[in-house]
């Protein structure tokens, strides 16, 4: 069994979980050793990045924070998880025909995002305030929604690249599992109480009765209806 220090606990990112008192690492002892080793390794990522340059980190870090609404500590180390994947060419096994291989696609799209910042604001993406960073990122999503191109690439495919890696990294980490009350791999323990609103003895009830889905839909409708969000035509 991989070693887990007694004081090591999973942290809920930014303290925004809906399952107070739940700690996914309490379940490590029921996971098989290989799985436990893989999961615990995600808590001890190296401090030095291997793939992204320092300049690229300045662009990617705030961009990923915006994509995942990670605006305070503690954060899931999404950038480090993506860096680890790209450094070892651990891709999804495919890429869009109109984009380079994923590693190169990340480098090129981060450069384009930085170019947009310099063209619009006269400063690099890392130097902008959060509102301006968000506006530039939103422009890419808006182009993706319209199936338009961005720097001669499919904006939809660029948006897919960014969000696919960001979401996979975030939800691979046990801190994110804490946030959603997921108790980790079912093998070999299994589940005994399947069904709607049923819980296993190790699970914790949701302490927030508000369904987040309708709120998210309202936000998305507002985003699409906000024709004036950019304060003008981004192409002017």
């Amino acid at each position: 069994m991989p070693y887990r220090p007694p004081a090591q606990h999973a942290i809920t990112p930014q303290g925004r979980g809906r399952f107070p008192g739940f700690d996914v690492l309490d379940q490590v002892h029921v996971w098989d050793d290989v799985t436990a080793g893989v999961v615990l390794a995600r808590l001890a990522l190296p401090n030095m990045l291997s793939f992204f340059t320092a300049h690229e980190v300045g662009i990617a870090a705030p961009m990923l924070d915006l994509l995942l609404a990670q605006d305070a500590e503690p954060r899931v180390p999404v950038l480090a998880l993506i860096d680890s994947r790209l450094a070892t060419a651990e891709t999804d096994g495919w890429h869009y025909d109109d984009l380079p291989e994923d590693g190169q696609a990340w480098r090129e799209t981060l450069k384009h995002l930085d170019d947009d910042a310099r063209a619009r604001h006269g400063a690099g993406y890392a130097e902008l305030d959060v509102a301006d960073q968000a506006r530039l990122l939103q422009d890419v999503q808006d182009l993706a929604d319209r199936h338009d191109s961005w720097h001669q690439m499919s904006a939809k495919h660029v948006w897919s690249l960014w969000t696919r890696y960001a979401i996979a990294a975030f939800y691979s980490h046990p801190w994110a599992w804490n946030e959603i009350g997921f108790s980790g791999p079912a093998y070999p323990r299994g589940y005994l109480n399947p069904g709607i609103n049923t819980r296993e003895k190790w699970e914790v009830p949701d302490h927030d009765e508000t369904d987040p889905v309708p709120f998210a839909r309202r936000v998305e409708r507002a985003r699409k209806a906000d024709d004036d969000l950019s304060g003008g035509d981004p192409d002017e």
Side-chain angles (χ1 to χ4, degrees):
M1 167 61 67
Y3 176 67
R4 173 204 173 193
Q8 186 179 41
H9 300 284
I11 299 172
T12 300
Q14 303 166 85
R16 296 176 181 171
R18 297 164 63 113
F19 303 88
F22 176 74
D23 184 350
V24 65
L25 294 188
D26 287 341
Q27 302 302 310
V28 170
H29 66 284
V30 299
W31 303 344
D32 69 88
D33 286 357
V34 173
T35 298
V38 169
V39 173
L40 292 175
R42 296 169 188 165
L43 298 171
L45 291 167
N47 293 326
M48 298 296 293
L49 301 183
S50 301
F51 178 81
F52 291 117
T53 66
H55 180 69
E56 289 166 345
V57 168
I59 306 164
M63 182 262 273
L64 290 167
D65 281 349
L66 284 166
L67 285 177
L68 295 164
Q70 293 207 98
D71 51 17
E73 295 293 347
R75 290 174 168 86
V76 171
V78 170
L79 178 62
L81 288 163
I82 293 175
D83 181 90
S84 178
R85 282 189 65 184
L86 294 176
T88 57
E90 185 187 331
T91 69
D92 294 326
W94 59 273
H95 69 93
Y96 293 110
D97 286 343
D98 58 343
L99 294 183
E101 294 281 352
D102 287 359
Q104 186 61 28
W106 268 97
R107 294 201 191 282
E108 292 186 16
T109 55
L110 290 176
K111 179 183 181 300
H112 292 324
L113 193 59
D114 199 48
D115 290 343
D116 284 358
R118 295 182 187 283
R120 188 86 59 84
H121 301 286
Y125 191 80
E127 303 168 67
L128 304 182
D129 61 35
V130 173
D132 288 336
Q133 289 174 339
R135 178 63 261 165
L136 289 168
L137 199 57
Q138 185 63 65
D139 289 345
V140 181
Q141 186 183 18
D142 290 343
L143 290 170
D145 286 347
R146 298 197 297 268
H147 298 275
D148 287 340
S149 62
W150 178 68
H151 292 278
Q152 300 181 329
M153 299 178 173
S154 163
K156 183 177 180 180
H157 292 170
V158 172
W159 192 253
S160 170
L161 174 79
W162 290 345
T163 54
R164 190 172 76 248
Y165 272 78
I167 292 168
F170 186 85
Y171 284 107
S172 73
H173 199 277
W175 288 7
W177 300 353
N178 243 41
E179 181 180 44
I180 62 176
F182 173 55
S183 52
Y187 177 82
R189 175 193 55 201
Y191 286 88
L192 299 176
N193 297 310
I196 297 174
N197 294 325
T198 61
R199 292 191 302 276
E200 304 295 338
K201 62 182 180 180
W202 58 82
E203 294 179 315
V204 175
D206 189 339
H207 286 230
D208 186 345
E209 296 182 355
T210 305
D211 184 348
V213 174
F215 176 77
R217 288 173 178 163
R218 290 199 301 273
V219 170
E220 186 65 10
R221 285 199 299 269
R223 180 187 72 78
K224 290 182 177 179
D226 188 4
D227 296 330
D228 232 9
L229 190 61
S230 65
D233 186 343
D235 294 325
E236 290 182 349

